[in-house]
Amino acid sequence: MGEAPEVIAVGEPLIALLAGGPAPLADVEAFSRHVAGAEANMAVGLARLGHRALYVGRVGDDGFGRAIVRRLRGEGVDVTGVVVDAGRRTGLMVRERRALGPSEVLYYRAGSAGSGLGPADIEAVSASFVGARWLQVTGITPALSDSAHEAVLRAIELARASDVSVCFDVNLRRRLWSDEEAAGRLHPIAVGADLVFGDADELAVVAGVAPTPDGLDAARSLRASGSGSVIIKRGAAGATLVGEGLPVEAPAVAVGRVVDTVGAGDAFCAGYLAALLDGLDPTAALRWGNGCAAAALSVEGDLIGLPTRVELERLTGDPGTDTIR
């Protein structure tokens, strides 16, 4: 038997088909295939940074599902919590690329294997909570189905019973539900979490307050309601930690050319959590998060740009790194 996981991630892994060139979806003829899903991205990000992650989710008994399991296993993620569902198909996301303006994203996940996640899937890995340090969940899974929502709640219950900290990344998906529906399910999760991630808009929805550009009002509202530290992801402006004392800010790592923004927020969370697992302070954790986000922005696909520890040290300029000449 191997070592217990440090982090348990619960969610829906997807296959993303990314348009081969910048054009309207109606005119795209070729796509590249990528493994995706916020929680899967974070699990891989943690594994590349040297930490043990267990992934809990469902895939279909199809080629896409097998590709997901193989990729996660190949990245060093523990996939013993992944169920292959013979009665459902693996979820699919299709993304176009635009040189100007927002890109269209299509989801084919209604009735997917991931939406079939339930409390029994969490119970099957309950022993793994003993000795784990963090449970990682997002606001996506509770939107998929009632059973998936119940699975997240059961995972949080087991985490609390095992003295495992809870990390919650809002990841609001308005294609899945309305802001009102999201707030109803996500607010209780956020105010019970030890660590909450989100951009200013997402945090405002979950907190039930009017949005502000800096996100501070929403973060403070969540803190007053019971949330632990709140991290405001601010894109090119960096990130802000709202916890005990004054807010802590860290600038973004400059990116010469942004290739693909999808997955950068997940990469940030992986970097931040990895720093905490290493015992680093919040300022260093913000720096690691920003470095991982920058690496993800520089390439296509959700997983390809996630950095190793050496690559992250080079990006953040931490002492002791080699100079690339």
Side-chain angles (χ1 to χ4, degrees):
M1 218 177 146
E3 293 183 87
E6 295 172 276
V7 180
I8 299 171
V10 177
E12 179 184 29
L14 300 167
I15 286 293
L17 299 180
L18 179 60
L25 202 54
D27 298 315
V28 177
E29 297 181 350
F31 296 83
S32 57
R33 190 198 70 185
H34 302 270
V35 172
E39 305 84 3
N41 296 342
M42 190 164 177
V44 171
L46 285 163
R48 289 194 182 177
L49 292 172
H51 291 287
R52 301 184 304 279
L54 167 68
Y55 189 84
V56 184
R58 283 179 169 253
V59 298
D61 188 12
D62 49 40
F64 285 158
R66 286 186 285 277
I68 289 170
V69 173
R70 289 172 183 171
R71 180 63 186 272
L72 294 180
R73 183 187 293 119
E75 292 284 354
V77 175
D78 184 345
V79 294
T80 55
V82 178
V83 176
V84 178
D85 189 334
R88 295 172 182 256
R89 294 179 178 175
T90 302
L92 185 67
M93 174 175 65
V94 182
R95 288 198 284 126
E96 69 176 5
R97 288 199 292 156
R98 293 267 188 173
L100 182 65
S103 297
E104 184 177 4
V105 180
L106 301 178
Y107 289 105
Y108 297 91
R109 67 200 313 178
S112 68
S115 69
L117 185 73
D121 299 318
I122 305 301
E123 298 292 347
V125 297
S126 59
S128 296
F129 281 80
V130 179
R133 294 176 61 185
W134 285 91
L135 167 69
Q136 191 267 331
V137 295
T138 76
I140 300 172
T141 311
L144 300 178
S145 66
D146 289 343
S147 68
H149 178 220
E150 292 165 5
V152 169
L153 297 181
R154 182 56 182 148
I156 292 172
E157 288 177 354
L158 286 175
R160 290 300 177 214
S162 302
D163 198 27
V164 175
S165 299
V166 177
C167 169
F168 173 59
D169 187 6
V170 177
N171 254 311
L172 183 63
R173 294 292 186 268
R174 289 188 166 97
R175 288 182 179 271
L176 296 178
W177 53 5
S178 67
D179 285 2
E180 292 74 19
E181 292 172 316
R185 286 193 172 181
L186 301 186
H187 179 79
I189 296 174
V191 298
D194 299 280
L195 189 57
V196 179
F197 293 95
D199 63 27
D201 178 50
E202 292 173 330
L203 294 173
V205 169
V206 174
V209 302
T212 58
D214 60 14
L216 289 175
D217 286 352
R220 287 168 176 150
S221 176
L222 288 172
R223 288 267 302 155
S225 298
S227 299
S229 297
V230 179
I231 312 299
I232 308 167
K233 294 184 283 189
R234 300 168 56 210
T240 303
L241 163 67
V242 179
E244 299 293 340
L246 295 174
V248 178
E249 297 187 359
V253 174
V255 178
R257 175 172 172 263
V258 175
V259 176
D260 188 359
T261 60
V262 176
D266 309 325
F268 178 94
C269 294
Y272 191 95
L273 200 55
L276 294 187
L277 288 167
D278 278 9
L280 301 183
D281 62 44
T283 301
L286 289 173
R287 188 167 65 249
W288 277 36
N290 286 331
C292 287
L297 288 168
S298 65
V299 298
E300 290 181 352
D302 292 29
L303 302 182
I304 296 173
L306 293 169
T308 63
R309 185 175 294 269
V310 171
E311 291 166 342
L312 178 59
E313 289 172 348
R314 288 171 176 163
L315 277 172
T316 57
D318 283 349
T321 57
D322 293 332
T323 301
I324 302 174
R325 299 187 186 277

